[in-house]
Amino acid sequence: MNKVLGNKILNKIKEYDNIFIFGHIRPDGDCYGSQFGLQEIIKYNFPKKKVFVITDKCDYVAFLGSGEEIDEQLLVNGLAICVDTGNASRVSNQAFLSAMEIIKIDHHEPEDHYGNINYELPDYPATCQIITEIAMELGLKVNKAAARALFVGIVTDTGWFHYRGVTELTFQCAGFLTNNGVEVDEISDKLGGISLNELRFKGVVIDLLKWRGGFLYCVLTKEIIEKYGLTDEQASNCVNYFSQVEGFPIWALIIENQNGNIRIRLRSNGINVVPLAHKYQGGGHEMAVGAKLANWNELENFINDGAQTVEDSKK
Ligand code: AMP
């Protein structure tokens, strides 16, 4: 870890009475885990401080906490900490810009150094690992609520330690968190639940699977999602069904959201897909990116580009 930056962040936390923790649009487990984990750590170590989590809702990790309203008056004299968000425009509530100072803590490819302090570690598999390491190295106390939240972030962003970027440090952090109260079976149960409709939808998604060259993809229209009564978030979780299919190192889920936006969730096994995401208003990590289609006319080009990316990787 970068102890100099870690200490700078800690000093800023000590300096401010009111701290606002922001995350990204469409928050996920790592975003929620970082927000609520950091909130708990600050409150536990500095009980006089007021710490607010400002976030959109994420159903599958809603058991970690819920967001609060912003008190603008407090914010302008307060500290904003934005977690798990690579660029300023993806912060879910742009009010963070009016804070007195901004700290960015993130593990995405840094596209935009929008903080006064930028703690960016793109090699780490989860922002929760960064926060856990800061707590371990700087001797901050971690209560059970913080440990649970941070553990959730690590296991969701690494697919329970499956993905690239998992190192000895990841397991050290997970061990540290279990020593501080995490019950692994409880978290596994909470994250593993699936409704009957989600199970039925799984079959539909696998039926709709298509491929071009080594590129596997599935298009989900809002009509199909509505038919099974699922939320956009539930439908978008299907991207993980297509990992590890032999001969298909890149796969994507193309989802039409209820608001008509066409979202792409793109994953790879060993091939850098960031350039492909950049072509379609997206970004993210080397092997896990998000992007958008401006309209359905772009679909054909996107599929060709996906297949071409696999071909190019063979050269
Ligand atoms: P997702 O498929 O939405 O889980 O996204 C995979 C990763 O890419 C996550 O870390 C997101 O934060 C990031 N990401 C998703 N969409 C975008 C985007 N439009 N621009 C930049 N990063 C994105």
Side-chain angles (χ1 to χ4, degrees), residues 126-139:
T127 300
C128 281
Q129 179 175 309
I130 303 179
I131 294 171
T132 307
E133 188 186 33
I134 291 176
M136 289 194 310
E137 293 292 326
L138 302 187

Side-chain angles (χ1 to χ4, degrees), residues 24-26 28 30 84-87 89-90 106-109 111 157 236 239 253 255 263-267 277-278 280-285 287-292:
H24 58 76
I25 52 168
R26 282 197 310 269
D28 56 9
D30 192 30
D84 198 38
T85 313
N87 42 317
S89 61
R90 282 181 60 77
D106 183 44
H107 77 130
H108 294 91
E109 288 302 325
E111 298 190 9
D157 249 32
S236 71
V239 69
L253 194 62
I255 318 142
R263 173 184 177 198
I264 296 169
R265 301 192 80 196
L266 182 64
R267 301 290 185 264
H278 282 162
Y280 295 90
Q281 307 174 60
H285 309 284
M287 294 181 205
V289 295
K292 290 175 204 150

Side-chain angles (χ1 to χ4, degrees), residues 8-26:
K8 267 193 182 173
I9 292 173
L10 185 56
N11 287 335
K12 284 293 163 199
I13 289 172
K14 287 179 180 164
E15 198 178 312
Y16 283 88
D17 293 332
N18 295 295
I19 300 167
F20 296 77
I21 305 176
F22 291 84
H24 58 76
I25 52 168
R26 282 197 310 269

